[in-house]
Amino acid sequence: MTAYQTRLLSASPPDIAAAAEYLRRGELVGIPTETVYGLAADATNEQAVARIFAAKGRPQDNPLIVHVAQLCDVEPLVTAFPPEAQKLAQAFWPGPLTIILPRSPRIPASVSAGLDTVAVRMPSHPVAQAIIRAAGLPLAAPSANLSGSPSPTTAAHVMADMAGRIPAVVDGGPCGVGVESTVVSVSPGCARVLRPGGVTPAMLQKVLPHVEVDPAVTHPLADGQRAASPGMKYKHYSPRARVILVKASPQGFAQFVNRQAAAKPEGLMALCFDGEETSLAVPFLTYGRRDDANEQAQQLFNALRQLDERGAALVYAACPSDQGVGLAVYNRILRAAGFEVITLDR
Ligand code: TXA
Ligand code: MG
């Protein structure tokens, strides 16, 4: 891999033009979106796409999302755009929704890890929009983290993982949503959530009457079971620390953690909700208020990164609600915990 002196670009017009120029030359650029930062490349250039997998250390069998700026950009990428998908696009684009569609030959098979489908998304972030338009290309972009670590929600996170590996990162400020897009597949009259995100099942249901949530969202895959969304089979979003999710009341959580602390385990930390840290006798980080899933989504990945910076070895994390955007927060923290959950009496 080439060693780069990674440039931190701003969202000014000349810097956007510079980012677009890298992309047209087949290079990678870290870009802000409303969900998380993406590691973008020309989705029609096989060599550029190969660089994404190399820079992230990403398994070759985990497909990428292709980002477009406007509806007319979708047509060349797909062989069909079924009415269900069009309704969802109408309702939620631009925004944090990715739709799985049949892939056209314009998109190299490596983008989709050999699948005959392609994941398409139209981000709403003005800087992402400007970069896609300036490049004049569909952009393949996974989250801009090293494979396996928490997704980046600031340009500094991208720098921490990608400095030296890519020529440039565009700083568009912290991401508004904070967790990756909702990924859906469609069939006649029906949408299936493969990965939960900012667009909730209830929101989808207002557009399509029948919405299913893939069991892999909340349960580990059984041995040999095939993932509808290949990303779901990897341990993801993980800090280096062992994370254990604790389902308990605020009081129950504090009592449990304080009891564990009595044995003085190395690097013990708590990850709890804002305002619930007062009765904790161990070092802690918070990730939003218990009743505010949007806040939790915005803060979770930064908190997971900070746990590493603070040298945490064992983290007890207060379990979020799985309702609304909470389903996305729950899904990510469950994966960070490798599905290790303790349920206490409420
Ligand atoms: O919000 C987002 O979606 C961010 C920003 C940068 O747009 N991107 C992102 O990409 O999260 P990534 O690569 O980290 O996650 C893509 C997810 C993976 O779980 C992958 O398996 C799934 O989308 N995916 C991609 N193509 C697919 C396909 N053809 N069929 C099923 N799942 C697919
Ligand atoms: Mg990712």
Side-chain angles (χ1 to χ4, degrees), residues 33 35-38 58 62-65 67 98 100 112 115 117-119 121 141-143 180-181 183 194-195 228-232:
T33 83
T35 57
V36 301
Y37 275 72
R58 184 178 177 102
N62 194 2
L64 307 174
I65 295 173
H67 297 67
T98 295
I100 308 297
S112 294
L115 297 173
T117 51
V118 58
R121 154 161 143 77
S143 49
E180 305 86 341
S181 61
V183 178
L194 306 183
R195 179 180 72 180
S229 173
M232 286 298 193

Side-chain angles (χ1 to χ4, degrees), residues 38-336:
L39 184 61
D42 176 358
T44 64
N45 175 339
E46 209 150 353
Q47 225 177 1
V49 170
R51 287 190 165 132
I52 291 181
F53 286 91
K56 274 186 69 100
R58 184 178 177 102
Q60 297 286 342
D61 63 350
N62 194 2
L64 307 174
I65 295 173
V66 178
H67 297 67
V68 297
Q70 49 198 343
L71 216 48
C72 61
D73 295 342
V74 177
E75 207 196 285
L77 314 180
V78 302
T79 56
F81 199 172
E84 290 79 10
Q86 291 196 28
K87 278 190 197 161
L88 293 178
Q90 195 72 41
F92 300 110
W93 281 359
L97 181 73
T98 295
I99 309 176
I100 308 297
L101 293 165
R103 177 172 58 88
S104 90
R106 174 105 201 280
I107 295 297
S110 57
V111 168
S112 294
L115 297 173
D116 54 12
T117 51
V118 58
V120 184
R121 154 161 143 77
M122 186 190 295
S124 63
H125 197 295
V127 178
Q129 281 273 339
I131 293 170
I132 300 169
R133 284 170 197 270
L137 296 165
L139 297 181
S143 49
N145 50 287
L146 287 172
S147 193
S149 35
S151 294
T153 54
T154 65
H157 293 164
V158 182
M159 276 296 195
D161 280 16
M162 290 296 154
R165 295 172 169 260
I166 62 175
V169 177
V170 179
D171 189 348
C175 299
V177 178
V179 291
E180 305 86 341
S181 61
T182 304
V183 178
V184 297
S185 62
V186 293
S187 52
C190 178
R192 189 175 181 85
V193 176
L194 306 183
R195 179 180 72 180
V199 175
T200 65
M203 290 162 73
L204 293 167
Q205 206 149 27
K206 291 205 173 121
V207 179
L208 291 179
H210 199 73
V211 175
E212 289 169 2
V213 177
D214 195 279
V217 166
T218 48
H219 294 88
L221 288 168
D223 278 350
Q225 204 179 345
R226 203 180 129 269
S229 173
M232 286 298 193
K233 70 177 183 232
Y234 298 104
K235 184 168 179 201
H236 242 106
Y237 319 112
S238 324
R240 284 187 290 275
R242 174 181 176 200
V243 178
I244 299 175
L245 200 51
V246 181
K247 291 191 181 177
S249 65
Q251 300 76 11
F253 179 76
Q255 280 168 10
F256 172 80
V257 171
N258 291 343
R259 250 194 335 266
Q260 307 305 308
K264 301 209 185 321
E266 190 74 22
L268 176 67
M269 284 189 74
L271 179 61
C272 68
F273 298 114
D274 290 359
E276 296 182 6
E277 64 275 24
T278 45
S279 37
L280 286 173
V282 302
F284 63 86
L285 287 169
T286 65
Y287 71 110
R289 284 168 294 188
R290 184 177 281 262
D291 61 359
D292 191 334
N294 290 313
E295 231 174 63
Q296 294 163 18
Q298 274 168 6
Q299 296 180 27
L300 178 65
F301 286 139
N302 183 53
L304 293 179
R305 281 176 180 262
Q306 279 197 19
L307 289 169
D308 277 343
E309 279 170 28
R310 301 264 298 262
L314 173 62
V315 178
Y316 289 108
C319 188
S321 150
D322 61 1
Q323 297 302 300
V325 174
L327 183 62
V329 180
Y330 178 62
N331 166 268
R332 303 310 190 273
I333 201 165
L334 196 55
R335 271 149 207 289

